[in-house]
Amino acid sequence: LYEMRFDALDANPVKAISALYDHFGWSDFETTVAPALRTYSQSLENFKKNSFSKLSDDAKRVVNARWKNWFVDLKYDADDA
């Protein structure tokens, strides 16, 4: 099992996937996967992600109540919901 936060993958995909390879002891990342991943990451440089409006306070309370255990377990800031 290996858990990776999306924000880590999003910020630096090569570093994040390299850590995954290291975790499992897989070899040849730099020669087999990294070049293609770098090329793909560079192709996304101008990609604009969707933006979403903030949740209302009532909606935040519902999300926080229902997902509290996950927020705590995964160390997410519930205020970002």
Side-chain angles (χ1 to χ4, degrees), residues 54-70:
K54 294 287 185 179
L55 293 176
S56 69
D57 289 340
D58 289 338
K60 280 185 181 185
R61 279 191 284 277
V62 170
V63 170
N64 289 338
R66 292 183 183 174
W67 288 83
K68 179 181 179 180
N69 291 340
W70 286 105

Side-chain angles (χ1 to χ4, degrees), residues 17-62:
I17 300 300
S18 177
L20 173 102
Y21 269 67
D22 288 344
H23 173 81
F24 286 110
W26 298 337
S27 60
D28 298 331
F29 174 79
E30 280 301 322
T31 58
T32 60
V33 177
L37 189 53
R38 284 187 185 97
T39 299
Y40 179 69
S41 294
Q42 289 169 351
S43 76
L44 299 176
E45 285 180 355
N46 295 320
F47 178 76
K48 183 173 174 147
K49 295 177 187 160
N50 291 334
S51 60
F52 301 97
S53 58
K54 294 287 185 179
L55 293 176
S56 69
D57 289 340
D58 289 338
K60 280 185 181 185
R61 279 191 284 277
V62 170

